[in-house]
Amino acid sequence: MYKDKLLLGILAFLALGATLTSCKPRNAATAISSDAAQKVYVAPGKYDEFYNFVSGGFNGQVSVYGLPSGRLLKIIPVFSVFPENGYGYSEETKAMLNTSQGFVPWDDQHHLELSQTNGSPDGRWLFANANNTPRVARIDLATFKTAEILELPNSAGNHSSPFTTENGEYIVAGTRFSVPIGDKTDVPINTYKQNFHGTVSFISVDPQSGRLKLSFQLLLPGINFDLSHAGKGPSHDWFFFSCYNTELAHTLLEVNASQRDKDFIMAVNWKKAEEYIKAGKGIKKQVSFAHNVYDEKTHTSSSTIENEVLQLDPKVLKDMVYFIPCPKSPHGCDVDPSGEFIVGSGKLAALIPVFSYSKIQKAIASRQFEGEFEGIPVIKYEAALVGEVQKPGLGPLHTEFDGKGNAYTSMFVSSEIVKWSLKDLKVLDRAPTYYSVGHLCIPGGDTKHPYGKYLIAYNKITKDRYLPTGPELAQSAQLYDISGDKMELILDFPTVGEPHYAQALPADLISKNSVKFFKIEENKNPYVTMGEKNAKVVREGNKVHVYITAIRSHFVPDNIEGIKKGDDVYFHVTNLEQDWDIPHGFAVKGAPNAEILIMPGETCTLKWIPAKEGIYPIYCTDFCSALHQEMQGYVRVSAAGSNTPLTFGTNSDTTAAGTK
Ligand code: K7E
Ligand code: CUA
C-alpha cells in the first residue's frame, strides 16, 4: 500500500480528480439496485453464510466479520496489545510479543491466509504477517486466539507473507526491505549494491499441531519482495513472488525504483530446495529470532530465542530460482485455481501480464533466457507469457478468482474492479469502487476451489461514503454480488484499521469446531486455583501471589490486607465457570497495564506494583450477571516497612495468609 499512496501523490490531480468527477455516478446511491438490501439482510437471530477475516493494517490486529451482512463479530489481537482482554498485558500473554528487539507491542498487519488442505481452506488456522518487525502469526480458529508468533531473521519489512502451499507444507516470508545481513550490518547505506540482500523464508507448518518451524531461507539479491502466491495442482512445487526495485535503489525509490521498464516475478522451485537440503547444501547461519508459543493447557505463552537458520544460495545452487520480467513494479502476484496462470499486476503498467506455468517450464527446459540478474537466470518475457489483458484500467494491484474461469483485478488509480476472462484475457465487466481499491477478497478466491458468490473490495480512500469523523474517515470495505454476469455493489461496511488482504470461507468450516469453554480440570496453569476453598495469598519476599477465583458474582478472596507499597503483586485469577460466553474481568485501581478478561476455565494473571498506600478497589469488568456490579472487593496497601499482617478472605472471616 505504501507505494500505492505514493502513486496517488504522483497522479493526484489526474487520477483522483478523474475518479471523483468521472467515475462516480452523480448520486452514489444509484449504484445500488433495489434488491441489494435483501441480499445482505441477515435477520436478527440468523447467522451469516461466511466468516470474513480482515487484516487490521496499522492497528496490528485481525477483525472478523460475517458476510453478507458486514457485521463485525470480533477483533483478534495478534501483533498488538489489547486492553479489551489484556492480550500482551497479562503475564500469560506478554511473551507473545517478545522479539529479538525486545517487547514490540505493535505491528503493521497486511496479509492473511487461511490454512489449506488439498488446496481448500480447512478452517483450522489463520496466518498473519507483521510488516514492520518481521513476524508471522498463527491464529487458532477453534478459540480465535493467537497461538504462535515466529520472528524472521535476516528480514526487514515482512510484506511478502504469509502465503501458503496447498497443504501447508510451507508458508513464506519475503523481505520488503533488503538489508545488510550476517556479521557486519553497520555499513554505509550507499554500499547498498555490495552489502544489502533480500531473503525469502520458508516456514513449515506441522500438520497436526500447526506448529511453525523456520525450515530454510533463500539468500537473494537486494531487491524488494512485494507479494507472493504458491502454485497449485501442476505448479504445486513452485512459489511465485513479485519483486520491485530491481534498480537496487536505496533513496527516493519513488523515482529511482521506477526506472526499468520491467521488474520481476520470481519463481522458486521449493522441491528443488528440499533436494539441496537433503544433499547437505544448506549453510547454517547464526542468527537470533524469537519463537513464541501459546500453550492451551497452561493458558500461558513462552518465548524462546532460536539461533540458527539454514540458508540456500541460488547463485550457487542452480535450477531452483528464476526471474520472469514483469512490467512496471509489480504488486500483486496471483495464481489462478488451476495453477496454470500467474498474474502479475504492475502498479504503473497499462496492462496485466498473464504468465503460464507450462510455458515457464518449457522456457526453462529449452534455456530461453535473456541473461542473468545477479547470477540468477532471467526467462524471456515472451517465453513465459500467455498474453496481456489490454486496457484493463489504471493501477492494477491485486487479482482474485471466482472458480468459473474469471479473474477480478483491483485498479487503484481508476478506482474500479475489472472482471476478465482467463480464457481469452478479454475484459468482461467493470464496477466502480469508492475509492482507490487495494486488495480484493472472494471466499476461497486464492485457493483451488473458490466459493465465487461475493467479492469484497478493501478501499484506501472513503471520502464521501460515511458520516465525517474528523480528518480521518472510516476505513472501508464494499461487498459485490458476483453470482451473475455483472458485478453488483450491494453493501458498504467500515472496517477496523486499514484493511489490506482478507480471507473468507463458509461459516460451518469454523463454527462447528468453536470452543465454548476450557475444561477446568484440564487447566494446567501453575497458578490455577481449583475451587474457592483453595484460594489463598502467598508472600515470597516482596512478591505476593494472590490465588483468586471468579464465579458469578464474586471473587474469593475479596478482602486482602498486608500488601506493602512497592510489592510485586500477582493476581492469578481463575474463572471457575463452565458455561459458554461467561468470561469474568479483573481490574485494580491504578494498575498501569490493563484489565484482564478470563475465559471460563482459564487462569490469567495481572501484575501490579502499588505505588501508594491506601485502599484499592478490585472489580469484574465484564457484565456477567444481574449482580455483576456487586462483583468487587478491596485490597489494603500499607507502607513498605509496616507490619500489617497478610490476611485474606470473604465475609470478614479473613484468614492469616501463608508466608514462604
Ligand atoms: Cu495493501 Cu498487500 Cu501491503 Cu496491496 S498491500 S493494497
Ligand atoms: Cu464477573 Cu461481572
Side-chain angles (χ1 to χ4, degrees), residues 112-168:
L112 297 172
E113 181 97 317
L114 287 160
S115 60
Q116 296 179 14
T117 302
N118 299 323
S120 277
D122 55 23
R124 301 173 76 192
W125 305 300
L126 178 72
F127 303 108
N129 79 318
N131 194 27
N132 182 55
T133 303
R135 289 174 275 184
V136 292
R138 178 172 58 87
I139 297 159
D140 186 332
L141 293 178
T143 58
F144 282 60
K145 285 187 185 215
T146 302
E148 189 170 3
I149 291 182
L150 179 72
E151 190 184 4
L152 281 319
N154 297 331
S155 174
N158 179 38
H159 193 260
S160 189
S161 180
F163 301 96
T164 183
T165 57
E166 289 176 75
N167 289 297

Side-chain angles (χ1 to χ4, degrees), residues 124-125 138 168-169 204-213:
R124 301 173 76 192
W125 305 300
R138 178 172 58 87
E169 291 93 340
S204 62
V205 182
D206 184 276
Q208 259 70 55
S209 66
R211 199 173 165 108
L212 305 176
K213 178 173 177 280

Side-chain angles (χ1 to χ4, degrees), residues 190-203:
N190 66 12
T191 63
Y192 188 99
K193 287 188 180 157
Q194 302 89 275
N195 289 326
F196 287 47
H197 286 279
T199 60
V200 166
S201 299
F202 282 73
I203 301 155

Side-chain angles (χ1 to χ4, degrees), residues 550-555 575 577 582-586 619-625 627-632:
I551 195 162
R552 279 162 289 179
S553 295
H554 58 273
F555 293 110
N575 181 346
E577 305 280 355
I582 308 288
H584 291 286
F586 181 85
Y619 73 103
C620 170
T621 52
D622 188 301
F623 210 111
C624 50
S625 74
L627 294 173
H628 151 80
Q629 204 68 351
E630 281 71 15
M631 196 163 174
Q632 64 177 53

Side-chain angles (χ1 to χ4, degrees), residues 48-51 122-123 505-514:
D48 275 292
E49 191 181 346
F50 293 97
Y51 281 103
D122 55 23
L505 79 175
D508 66 338
L509 285 172
I510 291 178
S511 58
K512 61 173 196 266
N513 299 322
S514 208

Side-chain angles (χ1 to χ4, degrees), residues 121-314:
D122 55 23
R124 301 173 76 192
W125 305 300
L126 178 72
F127 303 108
N129 79 318
N131 194 27
N132 182 55
T133 303
R135 289 174 275 184
V136 292
R138 178 172 58 87
I139 297 159
D140 186 332
L141 293 178
T143 58
F144 282 60
K145 285 187 185 215
T146 302
E148 189 170 3
I149 291 182
L150 179 72
E151 190 184 4
L152 281 319
N154 297 331
S155 174
N158 179 38
H159 193 260
S160 189
S161 180
F163 301 96
T164 183
T165 57
E166 289 176 75
N167 289 297
E169 291 93 340
Y170 299 105
I171 59 172
V172 296
T175 51
R176 168 187 168 186
F177 297 98
S178 282
V179 285
I181 62 179
D183 301 336
K184 198 160 177 274
T185 53
D186 173 14
V187 297
I189 298 169
N190 66 12
T191 63
Y192 188 99
K193 287 188 180 157
Q194 302 89 275
N195 289 326
F196 287 47
H197 286 279
T199 60
V200 166
S201 299
F202 282 73
I203 301 155
S204 62
V205 182
D206 184 276
Q208 259 70 55
S209 66
R211 199 173 165 108
L212 305 176
K213 178 173 177 280
L214 178 54
S215 280
F216 64 94
Q217 189 170 67
L218 301 176
L219 182 66
L220 295 161
I223 55 181
N224 299 33
F225 294 94
D226 207 357
L227 282 143
S228 48
H229 265 103
K232 313 175 169 78
S235 55
H236 173 80
D237 300 353
W238 292 73
F239 226 110
F240 303 94
F241 298 82
S242 58
C243 328
Y244 62 102
N245 192 22
T246 51
E247 293 85 352
L248 305 178
H250 57 83
T251 176
L252 287 178
L253 265 65
E254 174 181 12
V255 173
N256 294 333
S258 305
Q259 298 298 307
R260 287 170 54 122
D261 190 43
K262 293 194 175 66
D263 291 277
F264 296 132
I265 298 289
M266 182 176 78
V268 174
N269 182 339
W270 54 262
K271 281 279 183 186
K272 193 79 196 172
E274 289 179 343
E275 282 172 30
Y276 281 130
I277 291 167
K278 259 208 200 106
K281 304 288 188 193
I283 297 173
K284 285 182 183 160
K285 296 277 182 181
Q286 291 307 301
V287 286
S288 170
F289 62 97
H291 189 176
N292 312 330
V293 181
Y294 184 82
D295 179 329
E296 203 167 284
K297 291 282 173 260
T298 59
H299 305 289
T300 302
S301 60
S302 57
S303 178
T304 315
I305 297 292
E306 298 189 10
N307 292 307
E308 212 170 70
V309 63
L310 197 62
Q311 257 181 16
L312 299 176
D313 184 350

